[in-house]
Amino acid sequence: GENVEQHPSTLSVQEGDSAVIKCTYSDSASNYFPWYKQELGKGPQLIIDIRSNVGEKKDQRIAVTLNKTAKHFSLHITETQPEDSAVYFCAASFYSGGGADGLTFGKGTHLIIQP
Amino acid sequence: DSGVTQTPKHLITATGQRVTLRCSPRSGDLSVYWYQQSLDQGLQFLIQYYNGEERAKGNILERFSAQQFPDLHSELNLSSLELGDSALYFCASSPWTGEREQYFGPGTRLTVT
């Protein structure tokens, strides 16, 4: 089955700086890669996703890149703000026209924004 | 607010007991996924239902079962509970028809004593 590794487990950055979280996956059949943000006491919130036929996707301060050959994908957050502090999870799954399989998650990155 | 609702928010029970967790998907979503989140195992996919039918199984124990009803709400049944079953249980829903995004509910925190 799929295995997703995520690094680092904790990331502390100064407010205004950029943060990068990296993930690798093992199953070359995976073609859908979402990122979730989880705040304390809440469920994971989808923040951005990318499909395997796309190399990069951007949404305001958040961007995701995908390297299919190397089987890794990354989340980039620019101009970090205090409200970006949370745990971030990467995930992978196989998606067909009929819908997506269950997600395989990384272990999470605790992002701390220092004022 | 994702539009996915889960009840109860918290559940405390004893070893050996059985509990039922409930999930209502977003309006119009046909597919429901159940996940378990624990410190040991992280976020793990348990089982998926589509329009009332089981579609896929992940790391779900034999003591656990689920179903999806005609009104599309889903229930996760956990029986013969052990201390290690203490975790957060999340439900996610997806439209299924050409969409891939999964939207998570707020979760049910289960504590087994």
Side-chain angles (χ1 to χ4, degrees):
Chain A
E2 176 66 280
N3 181 51
V4 176
E5 305 255 347
Q6 182 172 349
H7 300 280
S9 57
T10 304
L11 178 59
S12 181
V13 301
Q14 290 293 125
E15 182 179 348
D17 288 351
S18 296
V20 179
I21 303 170
K22 299 183 179 184
C23 290
T24 59
Y25 63 100
S26 61
D27 189 347
S28 56
S30 290
N31 60 1
Y32 173 59
F33 307 93
W35 286 87
Y36 285 85
K37 174 184 181 182
Q38 187 176 25
E39 295 174 320
L40 200 60
K42 296 186 176 180
Q45 175 195 1
L46 179 66
I47 56 172
I48 195 167
D49 60 8
I50 192 167
R51 291 183 287 178
S52 61
N53 60 350
V54 174
E56 183 172 359
K57 184 177 176 181
K58 194 172 181 180
D59 182 4
Q60 299 183 332
R61 297 187 296 109
I62 294 173
V64 57
T65 58
L66 171 65
N67 182 327
K68 272 174 41 179
T69 305
K71 294 203 197 80
H72 65 71
F73 56 114
S74 300
L75 177 71
H76 304 252
I77 305 175
T78 58
E79 301 172 11
T80 52
Q81 300 169 3
E83 54 265 36
D84 295 329
S85 293
V87 179
Y88 290 80
F89 292 93
C90 62
S93 80
F94 174 73
Y95 163 78
S96 66
D101 292 347
L103 298 169
T104 301
F105 283 90
K107 293 290 188 189
T109 295
H110 186 192
L111 177 61
I112 302 165
I113 308 300
Q114 303 276 10
Chain B
D1 184 359
S2 67
V4 178
T5 61
Q6 289 186 249
T7 56
K9 288 184 90 169
H10 303 278
L11 199 47
I12 302 174
T13 190
T15 54
Q17 295 299 304
R18 173 190 167 94
V19 296
T20 297
L21 313 183
R22 182 187 168 107
C23 166
S24 292
R26 296 186 321 157
S27 176
D29 284 1
L30 298 178
S31 193
V32 168
Y33 305 77
W34 285 97
Y35 292 85
Q36 179 194 59
Q37 186 175 35
S38 65
L39 285 174
D40 291 345
Q41 302 294 329
L43 260 169
Q44 283 199 107
F45 166 62
L46 296 178
I47 197 164
Q48 178 193 5
Y49 277 79
Y50 167 66
N51 205 19
E53 299 290 325
E54 180 185 305
R55 183 182 178 268
K57 274 187 173 179
N59 298 322
I60 189 165
L61 300 172
E62 285 192 12
R63 301 182 284 109
F64 295 1
S65 65
Q67 54 186 141
Q68 187 178 27
F69 295 86
D71 67 353
L72 301 177
H73 91 271
S74 178
E75 293 180 356
L76 179 67
N77 302 295
L78 315 177
S79 62
S80 303
L81 285 167
E82 301 174 1
L83 294 177
D85 297 327
S86 295
L88 273 165
Y89 291 85
F90 290 104
C91 163
S93 75
S94 173
W96 185 257
T97 51
E99 300 294 330
R100 58 198 176 277
E101 294 86 356
Q102 294 181 31
Y103 297 93
F104 280 71
T108 293
R109 180 174 291 281
L110 174 66
T111 303
V112 183
T113 62

